[in-house]
Structures are given as structure tokens and as C-alpha cells.
Amino acid sequence: YPPPFRSELKNLNLIARTIPSQALSRWHPEDIKHFVEAVENETTPQVDLDFIFQEIRKTFKDYVYFKTPEIYDFISVYIIATYFYQLFPAFPLLIFFGPKQSGKSLNLQLMEHLAFNALLVTDPTPAVIYRTIEELGPTLLLDEIESLASRREYAGSFMSILRASYKRIDVPRMEEKKDGGYKLCFFQAFGPKVIATIQGIEDVLANRSIIINLIRRRPEDTHLYKDSDPALEKDKW
């Protein structure tokens, strides 16, 4: 942030530690400045959550198929809740479970565009996950979790992060010091996490998650859904 804007944030007791790269395309710094000014002048416009809910719901109905219609409602509410997850003592993981070509990756793509600070990560190490959560507080999207959990060198650490992430629990880690040796550090793993899986998940993690079972679209229903890549519709998001 430029210095004048930083001082304005300080006057409002707001501290911006970093700007997630993907957030820049959603909310330009100038728009943030106008929002801060509106808060300061008590002229902030009212937010129509019902309108937002209906728009998200319609988007998912355009792209993906859920056998149970109420899931469209739940997904929409879950996405809105990611913007307020810090208000809750616990926030369940969301699991998309189903066979190949059942829409798991497509659901993650849509959430990448709509959820709070959504970040789709590929093959991350536990250290990367810890630091990403610490710095950005994102909605973490994990595709093909089987390949991540099966890597022997950090499978245990990776699953520990997921088990601890649904509540405000400080996770201890030994971090290497610049001058050599190690020191004990505590990281926060709490935050929204959405996982796509073919094989399912362990019982402990399942008890801390909401699982949505996906099925493949029927060939005769193909005409009901968009056959396009959400990434190509940047203006919409």
C-alpha cells in the first residue's frame, strides 16, 4: 500500500499485512480506499445478502449437478460464511467425494472465484500450508488429496494440519533458525478448507467435515449445464 493509504488504515485501527495476489483482481486498492472512506464517514452501503446468495446459487446451478437441490443452498451459504470464518470457534472442512468426471475439480474452480481469499494449491508441503494460512488466512482448496496424503515424507504432518484446522488450535512446529539450530513455533491452521477426493477420507477427519457425494452427469442432461471453463469468464467473477 502507498504511505497515505497505510496511515488511513492505521487511523481506523486496521492493519494490512499483505495483499493476496488473487484478491487484487476482485477488489482494486482504489476500491478498498473508497470503502475505508465510506466506513469513516458512516456512509457504507447496505449489503443485500439475499441477492448475493441467489447469485452464487444460480452460478452453481449453471455449472454443476447436485442430486439433492438443497446442496445448492448449502454451498452458497458456506461460501458466504468463508468471509466471516474468524467469527466462529469452529469451521468444518468441506469434502467433495465422487468418481472421476463427477465435477469435483469444477466445484473447486467455482469456489476459487467466489470464496474468501480462495487459493487452489497443488502439491504443497506442510510448511507451505502453514505459512500460507498464517499470512493470507485463505479458503484453502486441495484437489486430489490422495496424492498429497500418500507422500511418505510428510503424510503425517499433512493430515495433522487438516485434523487441527477445523478449530482454533495452535499447532507446534520446529522451525530452523537463521543462525542455526531450531526453535519451537506455533502456527494457526484454522480456516476454511475444501477438499476433492476419489478415495474418501479417514474417520477422524470425516467427523470434522461436511461431505458432499457427487455423481456423474447423465448424458441426456448435458444440455442443462454450461460447457465452458469458469476461468475464461473473468469479467463475471
Side-chain angles (χ1 to χ4, degrees), residues 1-18 27 31-41 44:
Y1 293 108
F5 186 33
R6 195 180 302 122
S7 63
E8 291 179 33
L9 289 175
K10 185 177 180 181
N11 291 336
L12 293 171
N13 294 320
L14 298 174
I15 299 174
R17 293 186 302 177
T18 185
W27 206 2
D31 294 329
I32 299 175
K33 183 177 186 295
H34 294 155
F35 178 79
V36 170
E37 292 172 349
V39 171
E40 194 172 28
N41 299 325
T44 310

Side-chain angles (χ1 to χ4, degrees), residues 10-213:
K10 185 177 180 181
N11 291 336
L12 293 171
N13 294 320
L14 298 174
I15 299 174
R17 293 186 302 177
T18 185
I19 306 177
S21 60
Q22 294 187 356
L24 285 174
S25 62
R26 300 185 187 184
W27 206 2
H28 192 277
E30 276 300 311
D31 294 329
I32 299 175
K33 183 177 186 295
H34 294 155
F35 178 79
V36 170
E37 292 172 349
V39 171
E40 194 172 28
N41 299 325
E42 298 183 354
T43 57
T44 310
Q46 292 296 311
V47 176
D48 187 346
L49 279 180
D50 181 63
F51 172 79
I52 295 172
F53 168 84
Q54 296 296 343
E55 286 290 293
I56 296 173
R57 190 180 190 280
K58 180 181 182 302
T59 297
F60 271 82
K61 288 202 73 174
D62 284 345
Y63 279 98
V64 299
Y65 171 70
F66 296 127
K67 186 176 182 180
T68 305
E70 288 78 9
I71 294 179
Y72 293 106
D73 296 342
F74 165 73
I75 290 289
S76 303
V77 171
Y78 189 93
I79 288 174
I80 292 173
T82 63
Y83 287 80
F84 307 100
Y85 79 90
Q86 293 283 6
L87 300 178
F88 303 108
F91 204 92
L93 288 79
L94 178 60
I95 311 292
F96 289 112
F97 171 62
K100 291 182 178 180
Q101 299 181 341
S102 59
K104 297 184 299 301
S105 296
L106 182 55
N107 274 286
L108 291 186
Q109 286 183 53
L110 293 174
M111 298 199 79
E112 183 181 15
H113 290 297
L114 296 170
F116 175 72
N117 278 5
L119 190 63
L120 182 60
V121 292
T122 304
D123 200 22
T125 65
V128 168
I129 293 178
Y130 278 122
R131 291 188 174 89
T132 299
I133 295 172
E134 190 77 15
E135 289 295 320
L136 307 181
T139 300
L140 205 58
L141 310 176
L142 301 168
D143 202 359
E144 298 182 358
I145 190 178
E146 296 83 11
S147 62
L148 297 174
S150 65
R151 292 185 57 176
R152 294 181 180 178
E153 65 268 32
Y154 60 69
S157 298
F158 179 73
M159 296 309 295
S160 294
I161 296 173
L162 296 182
R163 295 188 202 107
S165 66
Y166 89 111
K167 274 192 174 182
R168 297 182 181 276
I169 300 174
D170 288 330
V171 182
R173 274 181 61 85
M174 297 303 296
E175 290 286 305
E176 189 173 356
K177 296 191 293 186
K178 292 181 179 179
D179 56 353
Y182 292 85
K183 64 179 178 179
L184 179 64
C185 297
F186 290 88
F187 288 86
Q188 183 65 250
F190 178 64
K193 292 175 184 60
V194 185
I195 297 170
T197 175
I198 294 175
Q199 298 178 2
I201 56 174
E202 61 174 34
D203 290 343
V204 175
L205 195 58
N207 290 335
R208 301 172 184 184
S209 307
I210 295 172
I211 302 174
I212 295 179
N213 294 307

